[in-house]
Amino acid sequence: MLQPIDLLSQRIITRKKIHELIFQYLTFSLAAAIPFSNKISAWCIILLALNWLAEGSMKIKLQKAYQNKIVIVCSLFYLLELSSLLYTHHFTTGFYNVQTEASIFVLPLIYFSSYSINKKIKTNVLTVFTISVFLSSLYCLIIAFNHYVHTGNSVYFFYHTLVAVFNE
């Protein structure tokens, strides 16, 4: 029979494993949220970034990330976006654009410097994303059909009015 201490020692989860689990759950959450909500997606990205920062080992992660050409290109693109603030006449709009484009910099940095995602997890994330896109499309079509039945106007099946239910 196991002693209580033995049971506890078998359940110990390392700090790294906790960060990896958070990373995986937030990746699945982001994949599910992208088609539905910009706000939820933004929160997932913020939480991914906070988890990435809390994990530590920044020097090693940055070295690993910047060995990848995708990270370099995305970083340069974001620096170009940031530099546009220097010559814009509409600073508020420019700053908003910089904020909305931040994920182009943050996500590659996080994903190329963090854990290796095995094929099974990649497949599951893509499955979650595909199901989420299907459900959001189905939802939009049901809403459009409902509007069409009540008004007889087919405009509800076209882009802006079709996805208006997701505009936040």
Side-chain angles (χ1 to χ4, degrees), residues 12-166:
I12 292 176
I13 299 176
T14 64
R15 183 172 185 246
K16 182 179 179 177
K17 186 67 176 170
I18 291 170
H19 283 290
E20 187 174 355
L21 288 172
I22 291 169
F23 174 79
Q24 288 178 4
Y25 286 124
L26 287 172
T27 298
F28 281 109
S29 300
L30 180 61
I34 286 172
F36 286 104
S37 172
N38 290 338
K39 289 181 183 176
I40 295 172
S41 298
W43 277 106
C44 289
I45 293 168
I46 290 168
L47 292 173
L48 270 168
L50 289 174
N51 182 56
W52 185 77
L53 290 170
E55 189 179 17
S57 305
M58 300 308 286
K59 184 177 179 182
I60 295 168
K61 285 197 244 182
L62 290 174
Q63 287 173 342
K64 181 180 177 184
Y66 282 103
Q67 291 175 351
N68 189 300
K69 291 178 183 177
I70 294 172
V71 175
I72 293 169
V73 169
C74 290
S75 297
L76 290 173
F77 177 78
Y78 191 67
L79 283 173
L80 182 65
E81 189 79 31
L82 277 173
S83 68
S84 69
L85 290 176
L86 297 173
Y87 59 85
T88 185
H89 296 290
H90 305 286
F91 187 80
T92 306
T93 305
F95 189 70
Y96 175 78
N97 289 338
V98 166
Q99 285 178 320
T100 56
E101 299 294 330
S103 61
I104 289 175
F105 170 68
V106 172
L107 287 176
L109 188 64
I110 290 171
Y111 282 104
F112 285 106
S113 68
S114 293
Y115 310 97
S116 298
I117 300 175
N118 65 35
K119 188 171 182 165
K120 181 181 177 187
I121 292 175
K122 284 180 187 176
T123 303
N124 290 341
V125 168
L126 288 174
T127 302
V128 167
F129 179 71
T130 303
I131 291 169
S132 185
V133 168
F134 173 76
L135 291 175
S136 65
S137 300
L138 184 64
Y139 180 73
C140 288
L141 288 171
I142 289 169
I143 297 296
F145 183 74
N146 186 36
H147 285 300
Y148 175 73
V149 167
H150 286 88
T151 65
N153 190 351
S154 64
V155 73
Y156 294 104
F157 288 100
F158 297 102
Y159 182 70
H160 290 292
T161 51
L162 179 66
V163 295
V165 293
F166 293 124

